[in-house]
Amino acid sequence: MSTQTNGTTMTNGPQHANGSDKERVVIIGSGNWQVLSTLGSAIASVAAKNVLLHHELFHPEVKMWVFEEDYEGKPLTRVINETHMNPRYLPDIPLGDNVTAEPDLGKALQGATALVFVMPHQFFRKALDGIKGKVSQNARAVSLIKGVDVHGTKIQAYATIVNEELGISCSSLSGANIATEVAEGKFSESTLGVPSPDGFEGDPDTLPDARLWKPLFDTKTFSISVVADVEGVGLCGALKNIVAVAAGFIDGLGWGSNSKAAIMRIGMNEIKDFSLEYFPTTRAETFLEQSCGIADIITSCLGGRNRKVAEAMVKEGKPFQELEESMLKGQKLQGPETALHVHEFLAARGTKRPGGYPLFDAVWRICYEGAKPESIIDKL
Amino acid sequence: MSTQTNGTTMTNGPQHANGSDKERVVIIGSGNWQVLSTLGSAIASVAAKNVLLHHELFHPEVKMWVFEEDYEGKPLTRVINETHMNPRYLPDIPLGDNVTAEPDLGKALQGATALVFVMPHQFFRKALDGIKGKVSQNARAVSLIKGVDVHGTKIQAYATIVNEELGISCSSLSGANIATEVAEGKFSESTLGVPSPDGFEGDPDTLPDARLWKPLFDTKTFSISVVADVEGVGLCGALKNIVAVAAGFIDGLGWGSNSKAAIMRIGMNEIKDFSLEYFPTTRAETFLEQSCGIADIITSCLGGRNRKVAEAMVKEGKPFQELEESMLKGQKLQGPETALHVHEFLAARGTKRPGGYPLFDAVWRICYEGAKPESIIDKL
């Protein structure tokens, strides 16, 4: 009952995947990773309001799979269920009384028809083993996972992997979304990429998966715009980290605002051209006009870990691996790794873009080949 | 010997407008206005190097018309010609020995074939009286003037006005170009919009006016990209100031990075759509992909006077007219004025854009109608 379109599988079933029942939402977060656990909680707080508002469409409970950990002598899930807050990852923000934290993945997935994946990409493959076989084939998913999965000449966005591995329709949600600001109700935008028939040129808001996910996420202060481009939305969230590293180098070099704006512009164009070259269903406007594109590039180049560590690489003259230890307590930085993946991919596949992807290449050379940060502009 | 194309007049004459002679460059700056006098000097320092490098194309002297003023008891032009620096507007940066400051506009224009206009838009009409009749009809111009000229239902970029008033071909140069960073040789980019035949789809670098201006401005650290879109380049430089005011409101409200990135994105799209609606020769990619578009929007929303005064409007609860007095010593802010012009223009002409231009409109309402800054997102 599914057709492969636009880089993912569309479910042709009824709008409510579980027949006459209402959609049951589960946020599949994963703890012990600050940024995305915070985003998972923020998204839960948004969804918790919207399932009540759109009660004709949703079951009133939002489940949140939370990796169990100790919080001041109590299990974190119990603290969340008693206080309706997540004191570890999103202190002082009420999640909503209808959010239930569940440490058991199988239980969390029971009956769920609307799966929201919010986890670091490196945990996803491991989590898959616990998920496979537990998901209803009528369920649909949306991925907030940042990253691309590269094996030799194959490169994939995570929504495509969810779709392939679980056999369910999967959308993407990404944007300029610093989690605490979303949770505090400060005006934010995000882009929802949904599956569409090949060559679709209609109003993306009318697509079946838009009718599920937009009501779940859209609020006056979390403004969702829909595009018929699942992969484009996912790719932005991964590739922007390369650009953020480049922006950090500019900060470290003290080259100023003109340079930094130039790097963001050039980076955006490389992201767009790379995506259009290798993902034929992606659309230029996803990168150029949407929150998941230019707006997220801007926030990542102004704040964020990738920018910060890259700046320190230049100022302290240390490799990023050493700074991951000292600045990130050993957590992995996504920008250099993504630059490496893209480099390997391009080495295997080649490119038709005149001049190649000089900014992506420079970030790889500086991170892995000992090139000087000043060389970043040499081929631009 | 000229044809109206692409919003301006193309000279069909020889590549060297003055026949067998070399191109003679004059920078038509205007003193007593910090930002653009600094940019004029920065541009002079770039051009001074390039006329020597491309000696087959250019006469080796770069003239700079400078509004005469006193500098520590001496005429500023004499100080510039003796020290080859502009201590008032660009201290410590050598302009080049081949730059000559000239206080007399008529003398500065004598024999000039390559006119570079760098002045505040409000001085331009006045300066025109001194310029008309003194310019060779074989000369060509490039405008770095920011602003649009609005009278009722008519709205024009300054390159178009130069073209109409002086009857010479006029290009536009604009980008993320903080002047001191350009002069210090920090990596910067800029966009050159040149006249082209209607429907031109070739390589803009091959267009006649690109062959004049690109060699004059392009260096390794001031990277010029050419587009066949004179008006688009000029419009960005004016309309971005409305967006910078909006970004300043967000800063004043303390709404954070997601909001600010959203405002830049929405602003960019309104600039693009407004330009495409009323200037049919403009091209979407000028706004979305070029330095004069998104990159200049970014720098203006992060730094700059418009952003700063707008932030103070919110924090101090004062109208911008009062802050112009206290923060800018009475100089006029461009953003609110441009928002007013656009509002009057739209009131006179109407729009086919669904929902109109809500960000432009909100800036006008907040600046002139006493609307609350918080209302900025009401119609987005």
Side-chain angles (χ1 to χ4, degrees):
Chain A
M1 287 296 282
S2 67
T3 48
Q4 184 75 26
T5 51
N6 199 9
T8 188
T9 302
M10 271 183 86
T11 304
N12 291 327
Q15 191 177 321
H16 289 201
N18 48 355
S20 60
D21 283 344
K22 294 181 177 179
E23 300 282 356
R24 283 177 177 267
V25 178
V26 60
I27 317 271
I28 304 165
S30 176
N32 208 7
W33 205 81
Q34 184 67 46
V35 178
L36 283 176
S37 299
T38 305
L39 186 58
S41 299
I43 287 293
S45 78
V46 170
K49 289 192 196 93
N50 274 339
V51 294
L52 299 180
L53 194 65
H54 304 289
H55 49 83
E56 75 295 348
L57 187 55
F58 296 103
H59 186 277
E61 183 187 34
V62 171
K63 280 213 175 119
M64 182 164 69
W65 176 58
V66 172
F67 189 82
E68 192 66 284
E69 51 187 302
D70 178 83
Y71 181 77
E72 297 183 354
K74 282 187 182 177
L76 179 60
T77 54
R78 203 169 95 201
V79 177
I80 293 173
N81 291 333
E82 285 172 7
T83 64
H84 304 294
M85 297 203 206
N86 186 341
R88 168 138 307 152
Y89 294 114
L90 195 64
D92 305 325
I93 306 274
L95 296 177
D97 295 354
N98 52 333
V99 173
T100 312
E102 171 58 60
D104 183 290
L105 183 55
K107 283 189 190 161
L109 287 169
Q110 222 158 28
T113 58
L115 280 54
V116 182
F117 287 98
V118 195
M119 54 173 61
H121 70 114
Q122 58 268 39
F123 294 174
F124 176 70
R125 290 265 177 202
K126 208 166 65 183
L128 257 184
D129 297 335
I131 297 170
K132 273 187 183 173
K134 300 195 178 78
V135 174
S136 154
Q137 287 308 296
N138 289 324
R140 287 176 283 178
V142 63
S143 163
L144 281 72
I145 300 166
K146 314 264 183 201
V148 280
D149 198 58
V150 180
H151 294 290
T153 59
K154 195 175 175 191
I155 186 166
Q156 289 185 302
Y158 276 86
T160 313
I161 301 172
V162 170
N163 171 239
E164 283 186 6
E165 297 283 343
L166 300 180
I168 59 174
S169 172
C170 188
S171 300
S172 272
L173 184 74
S174 187
N177 297 148
I178 294 170
T180 46
E181 295 180 9
V182 173
E184 287 165 6
K186 287 175 174 167
F187 180 67
S188 306
E189 297 184 308
S190 203
T191 312
L192 175 68
V194 296
S196 62
D198 281 338
F200 178 78
E201 290 298 337
D203 177 1
D205 279 42
T206 62
L207 288 163
D209 288 16
R211 291 176 184 272
L212 168 63
W213 300 117
K214 189 166 175 174
L216 185 63
F217 296 126
D218 188 55
T219 70
K220 193 184 160 172
T221 55
F222 189 61
S223 176
I224 303 293
S225 105
V226 184
V227 294
D229 180 0
V230 177
E231 288 185 307
V233 173
L235 288 164
C236 286
L239 298 170
K240 64 155 194 187
N241 290 319
I242 309 179
V243 184
V245 170
F249 292 151
I250 301 296
D251 287 340
L253 292 161
W255 282 1
S257 304
N258 297 353
S259 294
K260 202 156 159 191
I263 291 298
M264 294 188 214
R265 182 194 81 78
I266 293 166
M268 178 192 67
N269 282 315
E270 290 196 13
I271 291 173
K272 166 187 63 96
D273 290 345
F274 180 85
S275 301
L276 293 178
E277 182 168 5
Y278 300 106
F279 297 83
T281 65
T282 58
R283 298 169 184 237
E285 53 269 32
T286 303
F287 310 95
L288 299 174
E289 300 184 17
Q290 288 293 325
S291 179
C292 67
I294 183 59
D296 196 19
I297 292 169
I298 292 171
T299 48
S300 304
C301 289
L302 298 181
R305 309 142 45 100
N306 287 284
R307 190 213 65 76
K308 193 171 153 191
V309 173
E311 181 181 21
M313 281 175 69
V314 180
K315 288 191 170 161
E316 301 178 23
K318 290 179 184 163
F320 73 89
Q321 295 90 343
E322 196 179 325
L323 295 162
E324 283 176 339
E325 284 304 319
S326 61
M327 295 175 74
L328 304 178
K329 299 175 190 164
Q331 288 191 12
K332 291 278 173 221
L333 206 61
Q334 263 195 289
E337 188 191 32
T338 308
L340 176 64
H341 286 161
V342 166
H343 168 77
E344 290 171 347
F345 174 82
L346 287 171
R349 286 278 290 266
T351 171
K352 290 179 184 161
R353 191 186 200 242
Y357 295 92
L359 190 72
F360 289 174
D361 188 59
V363 170
W364 167 73
R365 281 188 290 108
I366 296 165
C367 288
Y368 292 94
E369 299 286 298
K372 283 194 188 310
E374 293 81 357
S375 71
I376 193 163
I377 59 165
D378 283 357
K379 301 209 173 137
L380 299 181
Chain B
M1 288 292 285
S2 67
T3 48
Q4 184 75 28
T5 52
N6 197 8
T8 184
T9 301
M10 271 183 86
T11 305
N12 292 328
Q15 190 176 323
H16 290 199
N18 48 357
S20 61
D21 283 345
K22 294 180 177 180
E23 300 283 354
R24 282 175 177 268
V25 178
V26 59
I27 316 271
I28 305 167
S30 177
N32 209 6
W33 206 79
Q34 185 68 43
V35 180
L36 283 177
S37 300
T38 305
L39 186 58
S41 299
I43 286 294
S45 77
V46 169
K49 289 191 195 93
N50 274 339
V51 295
L52 300 179
L53 194 66
H54 302 289
H55 48 83
E56 74 295 346
L57 187 55
F58 295 104
H59 186 277
E61 184 188 32
V62 171
K63 280 211 176 125
M64 182 164 69
W65 176 58
V66 172
F67 189 82
E68 193 66 285
E69 52 186 302
D70 177 83
Y71 182 77
E72 296 183 355
K74 281 185 179 179
L76 179 61
T77 55
R78 206 168 92 199
V79 176
I80 294 174
N81 291 333
E82 284 171 6
T83 64
H84 303 293
M85 296 200 203
N86 186 342
R88 168 138 306 154
Y89 294 113
L90 195 64
D92 305 323
I93 306 274
L95 295 177
D97 295 355
N98 54 332
V99 174
T100 312
E102 170 59 60
D104 183 293
L105 183 54
K107 283 188 189 161
L109 287 168
Q110 220 157 30
T113 58
L115 280 54
V116 182
F117 286 98
V118 195
M119 54 173 60
H121 71 114
Q122 57 269 40
F123 294 173
F124 176 71
R125 290 265 178 203
K126 208 166 65 183
L128 258 184
D129 297 335
I131 295 169
K132 272 188 184 171
K134 298 194 180 77
V135 175
S136 155
Q137 285 310 295
N138 289 324
R140 287 177 283 177
V142 63
S143 163
L144 280 72
I145 301 167
K146 312 263 184 202
V148 280
D149 199 58
V150 181
H151 293 291
T153 58
K154 195 174 173 189
I155 185 165
Q156 288 185 302
Y158 276 87
T160 313
I161 301 171
V162 169
N163 172 238
E164 282 186 6
E165 296 284 343
L166 301 179
I168 60 174
S169 172
C170 190
S171 299
S172 273
L173 184 74
S174 187
N177 298 147
I178 294 171
T180 46
E181 295 180 11
V182 173
E184 286 165 8
K186 286 175 174 166
F187 180 68
S188 307
E189 297 183 308
S190 204
T191 312
L192 176 68
V194 297
S196 62
D198 282 338
F200 178 78
E201 289 298 336
D203 177 1
D205 279 44
T206 62
L207 289 163
D209 289 16
R211 291 175 184 273
L212 168 63
W213 300 118
K214 187 165 176 176
L216 185 64
F217 296 125
D218 188 55
T219 70
K220 196 187 156 166
T221 56
F222 190 61
S223 177
I224 303 293
S225 106
V226 184
V227 294
D229 182 358
V230 177
E231 287 183 310
V233 173
L235 288 164
C236 286
L239 298 170
K240 65 158 192 183
N241 290 319
I242 307 179
V243 184
V245 169
F249 292 150
I250 301 297
D251 287 340
L253 292 162
W255 282 0
S257 303
N258 296 353
S259 294
K260 202 157 160 188
I263 291 297
M264 294 188 212
R265 184 195 79 78
I266 293 165
M268 179 193 66
N269 282 317
E270 290 197 12
I271 290 174
K272 167 188 63 100
D273 290 346
F274 180 85
S275 301
L276 293 177
E277 181 168 5
Y278 299 106
F279 297 83
T281 67
T282 58
R283 296 169 185 237
E285 54 268 34
T286 303
F287 310 95
L288 300 175
E289 299 184 18
Q290 289 293 324
S291 180
C292 67
I294 183 59
D296 196 19
I297 291 169
I298 292 170
T299 49
S300 304
C301 288
L302 299 180
R305 308 143 45 101
N306 286 285
R307 190 212 63 78
K308 194 171 153 189
V309 173
E311 182 181 20
M313 282 174 69
V314 179
K315 287 190 169 164
E316 301 178 24
K318 290 178 183 166
F320 73 90
Q321 296 90 341
E322 196 179 325
L323 294 163
E324 283 176 337
E325 284 304 319
S326 60
M327 295 175 72
L328 305 177
K329 298 173 189 166
Q331 288 190 13
K332 289 277 172 224
L333 206 60
Q334 262 194 291
E337 189 190 33
T338 308
L340 176 63
H341 286 161
V342 166
H343 168 77
E344 290 172 347
F345 173 82
L346 286 171
R349 286 278 289 267
T351 171
K352 289 178 184 161
R353 192 185 199 244
Y357 294 91
L359 189 72
F360 290 174
D361 188 60
V363 171
W364 166 73
R365 281 187 291 108
I366 296 165
C367 288
Y368 292 94
E369 299 285 300
K372 283 193 188 312
E374 291 82 357
S375 71
I376 193 161
I377 59 165
D378 284 356
K379 302 211 173 135
L380 299 182

